[in-house]
Amino acid sequence: MDRTVLHVDMNNFYASVELLTRPDLADKPVIVGGDEAKRHGIVLAKNNLAKSYGVKTAETLYQALQKCPGAVVLPAQHDKYRHYSVWAKLLYREYSDRVESFGPDEAWIDVTELNRSGAALAHEIQNRVKSELGLPVSIGVSWNKTFAKMGSDYKKPEGITVIGRENYKDLLWPLPVGRLLFVGRVTAQRLTQIGIETVGELARQEPEDLRYILGKNADRLIYSARGEDRSPVLTAEEMGHQKSIGAMHTTDHDVRDPEDIRKLLWDLSGRVAERAVRAGLKGRTVSITVRYQDFSQHSRQRSTAYLMQDQGSIFEQAWILFEAGVSENLTKQGVRLLGVSLEQLEDETLPQQVSLADWAKCYTSE
Ligand SMILES: [Mg+2]
């Protein structure tokens, strides 16, 4: 029997949380930024209106404000987002033990055992998150995690999309191959270059033929595109423990432009986030490693009061570290290796640290 898997995605999560206490900003472009006191603060989230001006996550506030001078920039309040994140997952846990976080604002819920219509459950959960937390979510419903995730992406904000065996080829196969879960930008480019432009075209390939591009991920990606992702929605207990999760990049030339470094750090943060998500872990410390052309190497680390798992939060710390310690050396020496890692890991899927007092405090803080 097919499983019933939901994927719930909170729409414009940080910005939506901010708008709860700032309804006056509902019709204005809103950007949630890193450290706004800093000249090089970055965009962590934006609402749809800011998006329509071309504002992108991870660009500098300076770049964003060039495109959208009227945007209201709000500082990020991670403790507050975390409370909403945990509260939403508590709500999902009323439906199943199998609630697997995928970043602060996304989760899969395996509701097979409830024996109810996935679409009806999706409507119920969407309504409850809206009325109990005040936040908009979109939900995908399918028999596997990959398609459920693509379903929640299909119609935003506040969409509900059922991806069934009768319609997945119509709805998902025409999409660009980069929309498939875990196909990153570089992989999508390489697939497109050899003529595989859509999810459906990838589904029709044989893993052996694409091993030279996709490596060991060839099977997983192709089977996922075919609707054969059998990975279970993990319970918190099933998620493992590790000491740190890292990613690094070695360049074949000296990198001196801070803009190039920023992009590399963003990509590395994304890889770390993806691994953290897959392992079901979050961390309090980010460290970066920089090696210069003379092979001297520097590591710096920075801890936060909140747990990080998403690309934006990890990148924010990595960029602060880079700015604080490394950028002035760039004019003297180019960078040859960059690494980002997440440490002090904890299983954050269990809502152990939330008390009502914390919740009340969070709810009233501005
Ligand atoms: Mg979201």
Side-chain angles (χ1 to χ4, degrees):
M1 191 192 80
D2 273 342
R3 291 178 290 163
T4 308
V5 177
L6 310 185
H7 181 270
V8 191
D9 179 9
M10 299 167 102
N11 305 132
N12 302 330
F13 179 45
Y14 294 177
S16 297
V17 171
E18 293 298 340
L19 289 177
L20 287 176
T21 48
R22 294 294 305 273
D24 54 307
L25 298 179
D27 55 357
K28 299 199 171 63
V30 174
I31 294 170
V32 177
D35 189 344
E36 69 173 341
K38 277 222 164 82
R39 198 163 37 97
H40 292 300
I42 53 151
V43 176
L44 296 176
K46 70 274 173 193
N47 68 356
N48 283 332
L49 206 52
K51 212 176 276 183
S52 72
Y53 284 88
V55 173
K56 295 197 170 62
T57 300
E59 66 186 359
T60 62
L61 288 179
Y62 178 80
Q63 290 168 326
L65 291 169
Q66 297 278 99
K67 292 185 235 174
C68 186
V72 178
V73 180
L74 301 172
Q77 305 183 74
H78 291 284
D79 283 343
K80 195 169 174 179
Y81 309 145
R82 183 165 165 273
H83 275 83
Y84 279 92
S85 169
V86 170
W87 210 253
K89 284 161 195 174
L90 275 174
L91 191 155
Y92 307 157
R93 272 174 208 285
E94 292 180 30
Y95 295 86
S96 173
D97 288 339
R98 296 202 169 271
V99 173
E100 182 180 335
S101 292
F102 193 66
D105 60 329
E106 299 180 25
W108 283 285
I109 316 170
D110 185 330
V111 292
T112 310
E113 289 189 0
L114 293 178
N115 237 328
R116 288 177 55 189
S117 136
L121 282 164
H123 280 284
E124 182 176 316
I125 290 172
Q126 185 181 62
N127 288 334
R128 286 193 60 195
V129 178
K130 186 78 176 195
S131 64
E132 295 174 33
L133 280 78
L135 296 173
V137 302
S138 54
I139 302 182
V141 184
S142 193
W143 72 92
N144 66 75
K145 286 164 73 181
T146 300
F147 284 2
K149 159 84 178 155
M150 293 173 80
S152 74
D153 228 22
Y154 198 82
K155 185 165 172 271
K156 289 180 176 183
E158 301 189 85
I160 288 177
T161 307
V162 179
I163 309 287
R165 292 200 181 266
E166 69 296 342
N167 67 356
Y168 73 97
K169 289 183 183 171
D170 293 334
L171 294 185
L172 302 184
W173 280 16
L175 296 176
V177 70
R179 293 277 297 277
L180 185 69
L181 184 58
F182 297 128
V183 172
R185 201 182 60 212
V186 174
T187 304
Q189 273 170 7
R190 297 190 64 191
L191 288 170
T192 306
Q193 277 163 10
I194 61 161
I196 299 170
E197 295 183 8
T198 65
V199 175
E201 282 159 7
L202 181 63
R204 284 189 282 267
Q205 307 300 314
E206 290 304 324
E208 305 76 65
D209 299 334
L210 288 184
R211 198 99 46 208
Y212 75 103
I213 290 183
L214 302 174
K216 59 183 178 354
N217 292 322
D219 297 81
R220 189 171 63 134
L221 294 176
I222 290 171
Y223 289 129
S224 293
R226 294 175 183 171
E228 294 170 17
D229 166 17
R230 295 197 172 82
S231 61
V233 178
L234 298 175
T235 63
E237 292 75 17
E238 286 168 345
M239 295 172 184
H241 292 279
Q242 291 174 246
K243 284 221 164 91
S244 76
I245 295 170
M248 56 175 60
H249 180 82
T250 317
T251 66
D252 51 11
H253 61 283
D254 300 332
V255 181
R256 289 170 187 273
D257 184 351
E259 191 64 19
D260 292 336
I261 305 265
R262 199 172 61 79
K263 285 180 189 147
L264 281 171
L265 286 175
W266 172 251
D267 288 344
L268 288 168
S269 301
R271 281 164 54 191
V272 171
E274 188 188 316
R275 286 173 198 177
V277 161
R278 274 196 245 163
L281 298 168
K282 299 190 174 190
R284 292 185 191 280
T285 300
V286 169
S287 81
I288 65 168
T289 300
V290 183
R291 188 193 293 157
Y292 296 100
Q293 67 194 99
D294 68 354
F295 288 92
S296 63
Q297 190 161 311
H298 299 273
S299 290
R300 281 165 189 266
Q301 60 178 48
R302 194 179 148 84
S303 298
T304 58
Y306 49 90
L307 287 160
M308 295 170 280
Q309 189 186 48
D310 65 298
Q311 186 174 22
S313 307
I314 296 167
F315 172 74
E316 183 186 11
Q317 301 306 319
W319 182 245
I320 290 170
L321 287 165
F322 176 76
E323 285 228 292
V326 180
S327 55
E328 69 273 16
N329 288 329
L330 276 181
T331 44
K332 299 177 208 137
Q333 289 214 61
V335 168
R336 280 299 180 92
L337 174 146
L338 268 179
V340 173
S341 68
L342 185 63
E343 294 158 20
Q344 275 196 284
L345 300 172
E346 292 179 25
D347 182 335
E348 227 291 291
T349 58
L350 286 175
Q352 65 274 16
Q353 286 125 330
V354 176
S355 67
L356 274 176
D358 284 344
W359 174 245
K361 196 171 66 194
C362 155
Y363 206 77
T364 52
S365 68
E366 284 292 317

